[in-house]
């Protein structure tokens, strides 16, 4: 066996004592008879001994792992360690005997701890304790584990202490000076081992005391909190009981209806209304105690039953995402440089929503626009519009799956007129390039419309998604007209690693009536930057360019505004530009992201609005995304059937396009139109959107699709005869 590099291995600088949870250092590992021992970086953590060629490899490549719970630890000579686990034997060598003994001590401690953890796991009771009891038991186990560490260290101290005593006894009987030097060296090494083990025991004692002290204070706080919560709950229950009794008493004491009007239409209506109110009353008891008082006043004032109609309860869960494994790189490697919309993708990389529904998700925080419509100050209104523009990205932070590409002529409506005050309609108006038109009308004082064309490129390591097109927003009362555009989205780690998404670029929001602007900057994420990840900053200026508000936050959490009270010129930056220093008042929260639903990670990380978007509704158009069969099959977890249905729909769409192009070609041959108009028709596949038409925007000068009306009237009549059969 070769001893290459002997004497150069040592523990890493600052390596913890053997009694701690992690131990690192260099050891030599026997590889084969050609290469002999090779230097490797070993890491001992959580009962596992892992090794790497270099310390840098810890971030990405592990060369092997040994489970100490089932391993046998042995020593061959002064510097060697032999580990046997799973039928394999590992020969390791330290640079010195002291170094070898440090590793042996650490390995023995880790093995004892791993065995205890394994035994605890196998004997754990299947009934899982909830709440505070579970946390207390976990803490007690940690404390018990520290006590076991102390016991193990005590055994080792006894073992090394006995060896030290034997060495001292041998030293007393020495006669030869040379032999005395060797024994003295042995005594010194034993003393060193005794000191190392003692330090490990001291560290374990310190950990035990720190844990006991910190958790003692925490338990006191938790106990006080639980007492307060219990008192509050008892008071609430008592109040509800009193309200319930007063309602029952009022209902019993209510005068009966006059018998001479029992047969009148009004009496019959009131009897039906009483039944409805009674049913509604008990529903309200379960969901909202505050509604009880409202129900009393309604019954006493004899209001119409229509005001008692509850809001529709929309779904809050969808079937869990199946665990299908598929290699994205195997599909994407031949598509580098291509448009994403032209890449045939299985549903395994999709989420069960279409791009039209993702576009509708921009309305997740529509209340920002409701609030902005009431603003008297156009600058404050601009701050809220800026927060709304940022909020549309908050749902994308965990959403790395792509939505379904809409079929040409596909539509999606979101009718929230009764509860949220707006109606939204999207239509896929073009297929190559893919473009969708969107129109929203709110009864709370605003209208929003946009046409978005998605340009996307696969670059090998990442995917860039560039939305093209302007977003328009008008407020009815003031006439303020805002225009802005979206930033670039980038999906990273396409080849290897965990997918993650980032937003980067600038947004300029312009109020074309007052010429006020807001400049927003989405900072791209960088491993080397000290900036907060997903950072967004902005400044709101008037028509003269004077700054009035500073905006700051992150696109996945919140946006705040701070009013500027003074500005001054600061020092020049490294680029030679002079910085402006602003003094502001305390920041004010404009927008805060809603928390995701429970179990969101298994429901494609959908927000509360996204969970409702694919819920079936009565009376929608036959082209609505909710009725798309491959999307519904995917949501139900039937992915194999969804893939077959997706291929059928795409082939059907291609066949319709070929027929349109053939019709245009025939018209050219018959001389019914000139060559130029025929070519245009072929390029557009001869398709004309149903609910949108092209108009030149007077502000941007661009030609885009805007809503021409008629959809909601057709829905009222349930007349969809003009819609194509796309599904």
């Amino acid at each position: 066996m070769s001893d290459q590099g002997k004497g150069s291995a040592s523990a890493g600088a600052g390596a913890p004592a053997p009694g701690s949870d992690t131990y690192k250092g260099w050891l030599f590992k026997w590889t084969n008879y050609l290469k002999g021992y090779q230097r490797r970086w070993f890491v001992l953590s959580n009962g596992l001994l892992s090794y790497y060629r270099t310390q840098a490899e810890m971030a990405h490549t592990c060369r092997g792992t040994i489970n100490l719970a089932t391993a046998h630890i042995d020593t061959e000579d002064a510097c060697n360690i032999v580990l046997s686990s799973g039928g394999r034997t590992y020969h390791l060598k330290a640079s010195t005997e002291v170094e070898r003994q440090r590793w042996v001590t650490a390995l023995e401690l880790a093995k004892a701890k791993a065995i205890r953890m394994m035994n605890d796991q196998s004997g754990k009771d299947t009934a899982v304790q909830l709440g505070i009891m579970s946390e207390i038991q976990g803490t007690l186990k940690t404390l018990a584990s520290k006590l076991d560490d102390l016991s193990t260290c005590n055994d080792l101290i006894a073992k090394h202490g006995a060896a030290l005593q034997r060495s001292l006894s041998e030293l007393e009987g020495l006669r030869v000076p040379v032999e005395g030097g060797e024994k003295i060296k042995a005594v010194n090494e034993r003393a060193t081992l005794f000191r190392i083990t003692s330090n490990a025991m001291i560290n374990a004692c310190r950990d035990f005391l720190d844990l006991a002290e910190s958790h003692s204070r925490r338990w006191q706080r938790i106990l006080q909190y639980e007492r307060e919560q219990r008192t509050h709950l008892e008071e609430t229950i008592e109040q509800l009981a009193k309200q319930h009794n007063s309602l029952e008493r009022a209902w019993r004491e209510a005068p009966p209806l006059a018998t001479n009007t029992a047969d009148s239409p009004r009496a019959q209506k009131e009897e039906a209304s009483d039944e409805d109110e009674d049913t509604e009353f008990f529903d309200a008891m379960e969901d909202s105690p505050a509604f009880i008082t409202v129900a009393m006043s309604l019954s006493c004032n004899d209001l119409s039953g229509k005001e008692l109609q509850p809001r529709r309860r929309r779904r809050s869960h969808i079937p869990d995402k199946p665990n299908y494994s598929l290699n994205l790189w195997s599909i994407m490697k031949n598509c580098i440089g291509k448009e994403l919309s032209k890449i045939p993708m299985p549903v395994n990389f999709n989420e069960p929503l279409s791009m039209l529904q993702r576009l509708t998700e921009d309305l997740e925080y529509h209340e920002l626009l409701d609030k902005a419509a009431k603003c008297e100050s156009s600058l404050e209104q601009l701050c809220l519009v800026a927060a709304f523009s940022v909020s549309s990205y908050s749902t994308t932070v965990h959403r790395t799956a792509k939505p379904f590409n809409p079929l040409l002529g596909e539509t999606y409506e979101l009718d929230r007129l009764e509860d949220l005050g707006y109606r939204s309609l999207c239509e896929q108006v073009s297929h190559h390039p893919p473009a969708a038109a969107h129109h929203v009308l709110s009864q709370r004082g605003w209208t929003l419309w946009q046409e978005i064309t998605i340009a996307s490129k696969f670059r090998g390591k990442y995917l860039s998604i560039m939305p093209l097109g302007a977003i328009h927003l008008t407020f009815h009362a003031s006439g303020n007209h805002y225009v802005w555009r979206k930033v670039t989205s980038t999906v990273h780690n396409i080849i290897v690693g965990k997918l993650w998404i980032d937003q980067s670029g600038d947004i300029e929001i312009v109020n074309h009536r007052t010429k006020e602007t807001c400049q927003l900057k989405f900072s791209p994420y960088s491993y080397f930057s000290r900036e907060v990840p997903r950072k967004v900053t902005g400044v709101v200026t008037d028509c003269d360019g004077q700054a009035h508000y500073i905006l700051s936050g992150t696109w996945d959490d919140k946006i705040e505004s701070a009013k500027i009270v003074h500005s001054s010129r600061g020092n020049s930056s490294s680029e030679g530009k002079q910085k402006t220093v602003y003094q502001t008042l305390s920041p004010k929260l404009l927008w805060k992201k809603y928390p995701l639903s429970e179990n969101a990670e298994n429901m494609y990380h959908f927000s509360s609005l996204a969970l409702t978007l694919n819920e079936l509704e009565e009376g929608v158009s036959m082209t609505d995304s909710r009725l798309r069969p491959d999307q519904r099959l995917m949501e139900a977890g039937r992915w194999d059937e969804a893939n077959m249905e997706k291929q059928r729909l795409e082939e059907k769409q291609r066949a319709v396009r070929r027929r349109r192009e053939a019709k245009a070609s025939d018209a050219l041959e018959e001389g019914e139109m000139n060559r130029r108009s025929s070519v245009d028709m072929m390029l557009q596949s001869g398709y004309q959107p149903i609910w949108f038409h092209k108009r030149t925007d007077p502000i941007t000068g661009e030609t885009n699709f805007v809503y021409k009306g008629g959809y909601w009237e057709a829905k009222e009549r349930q007349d969809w005869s003009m819609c194509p059969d796309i599904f």
Side-chain angles (χ1 to χ4, degrees), residues 239-270:
Q239 183 180 4
L240 286 174
K242 290 179 179 178
Q243 290 184 353
H244 182 267
N245 291 335
S246 63
L247 282 172
E248 280 190 336
R249 188 164 56 251
W251 179 74
R252 291 193 185 99
E253 295 173 359
L257 293 175
T259 55
N260 58 352
T261 60
D263 296 331
S264 67
R266 175 175 174 82
Q268 293 175 2
K269 182 178 180 180
E270 286 180 350

Side-chain angles (χ1 to χ4, degrees), residues 609-627:
L609 175 62
L611 289 170
T612 69
L613 293 181
N614 212 36
E615 187 175 10
L616 289 174
E617 303 235 1
E618 295 181 0
V620 298
S621 169
M622 57 190 292
T623 56
D624 196 274
S625 299
R626 298 176 179 86
L627 306 178

Side-chain angles (χ1 to χ4, degrees), residues 239-306:
Q239 183 180 4
L240 286 174
K242 290 179 179 178
Q243 290 184 353
H244 182 267
N245 291 335
S246 63
L247 282 172
E248 280 190 336
R249 188 164 56 251
W251 179 74
R252 291 193 185 99
E253 295 173 359
L257 293 175
T259 55
N260 58 352
T261 60
D263 296 331
S264 67
R266 175 175 174 82
Q268 293 175 2
K269 182 178 180 180
E270 286 180 350
E271 287 176 3
S273 178
D274 286 345
E275 182 177 349
D276 292 341
E277 287 178 9
D278 191 51
T279 304
E280 179 60 26
F281 168 78
F282 286 109
D283 288 343
M285 280 289 291
E286 295 177 3
D287 297 333
S288 177
F291 190 75
I292 297 173
T293 305
V294 178
M296 278 185 62
S297 61
L298 288 177
S299 62
C300 294
N301 291 288
D302 192 26
L303 295 180
S304 64
K306 183 177 180 180

Side-chain angles (χ1 to χ4, degrees), residues 3-21:
D3 291 340
Q4 294 179 0
K6 181 177 179 180
S8 63
S10 64
S20 63
D21 293 334

Side-chain angles (χ1 to χ4, degrees), residues 126-391:
T126 55
V128 179
Q129 297 294 328
L130 300 176
I132 189 63
M133 291 305 299
S134 176
E135 183 178 357
I136 293 176
Q137 287 185 353
T139 305
L140 290 176
K141 282 187 178 181
T142 305
L143 296 176
S145 174
K146 291 298 180 180
L147 282 175
D148 290 338
D149 286 348
L150 293 176
S151 177
T152 304
C153 289
N154 184 58
D155 295 339
L156 291 172
I157 288 175
K159 174 182 175 182
H160 296 311
L164 182 61
Q165 289 296 328
R166 289 195 300 272
S167 298
L168 291 173
S169 300
E170 293 171 356
L171 184 62
E172 292 177 354
L174 288 179
R175 297 179 181 178
V176 182
V178 176
E179 184 181 0
E182 293 177 353
K183 290 298 181 180
I184 291 173
K185 180 181 178 181
V187 170
N188 288 333
E189 290 179 351
R190 295 292 183 183
T192 300
L193 295 176
F194 190 88
R195 186 179 66 255
I196 292 171
T197 308
S198 300
N199 288 337
M201 182 175 180
I202 292 171
N203 289 335
C205 290
R206 187 180 294 112
D207 291 342
F208 177 85
L209 292 175
D210 290 342
L211 273 174
E213 184 177 0
S214 63
H215 281 281
S216 176
R217 291 193 299 268
R218 186 176 182 185
W219 289 339
Q220 290 176 0
R221 291 195 301 269
I222 291 174
L223 181 60
Q224 180 63 27
Y225 174 80
E226 291 297 329
R227 286 173 177 169
E228 293 173 356
Q229 289 295 103
R230 179 176 179 178
T231 303
H232 177 69
L233 183 59
E234 289 174 349
E235 292 173 353
T236 303
I237 293 175
E238 182 180 358
Q239 183 180 4
L240 286 174
K242 290 179 179 178
Q243 290 184 353
H244 182 267
N245 291 335
S246 63
L247 282 172
E248 280 190 336
R249 188 164 56 251
W251 179 74
R252 291 193 185 99
E253 295 173 359
L257 293 175
T259 55
N260 58 352
T261 60
D263 296 331
S264 67
R266 175 175 174 82
Q268 293 175 2
K269 182 178 180 180
E270 286 180 350
E271 287 176 3
S273 178
D274 286 345
E275 182 177 349
D276 292 341
E277 287 178 9
D278 191 51
T279 304
E280 179 60 26
F281 168 78
F282 286 109
D283 288 343
M285 280 289 291
E286 295 177 3
D287 297 333
S288 177
F291 190 75
I292 297 173
T293 305
V294 178
M296 278 185 62
S297 61
L298 288 177
S299 62
C300 294
N301 291 288
D302 192 26
L303 295 180
S304 64
K306 183 177 180 180
E307 296 185 28
L308 291 176
Q309 292 295 328
R311 290 184 181 180
R312 173 179 172 180
R313 299 191 64 178
R314 303 187 184 276
R315 68 180 187 179
S316 58
H317 292 82
I318 61 174
D320 285 0
K321 177 182 178 181
N323 187 19
Y324 286 110
S325 61
L326 195 63
N327 187 357
L328 178 61
W329 177 242
S330 65
I331 295 175
M332 301 291 283
K333 63 183 179 182
N334 298 321
C335 305
I336 297 178
K338 294 183 180 179
E339 279 281 350
L340 180 64
S341 60
K342 298 181 180 180
I343 300 175
M345 299 281 283
V347 301
N348 303 55
F349 300 117
N350 284 39
E351 60 181 20
L353 290 178
S354 75
M355 178 59 74
L356 302 181
Q357 291 165 311
R358 283 291 291 268
L359 201 58
T360 307
E361 278 192 73
D362 286 358
L363 303 174
E364 177 92 32
Y365 299 94
H366 65 92
E367 63 270 13
L368 290 171
L369 301 184
D370 296 343
K371 185 177 180 180
K374 301 176 183 178
C375 284
E376 296 181 358
S377 167
S378 57
L379 290 170
E380 292 180 2
Q381 187 179 76
L382 182 51
C383 290
L384 289 168
V385 172
F388 174 78
S389 69
V390 175
S391 69

Side-chain angles (χ1 to χ4, degrees), residues 573-592:
S573 64
S574 58
E575 301 175 355
K577 298 180 180 179
Q578 195 171 26
K579 295 182 178 180
T580 302
V581 179
Y582 297 109
Q583 295 180 4
T584 66
L585 300 177
S586 299
K588 174 184 175 182
L589 182 67
L590 295 178
W591 161 75
K592 175 72 175 175

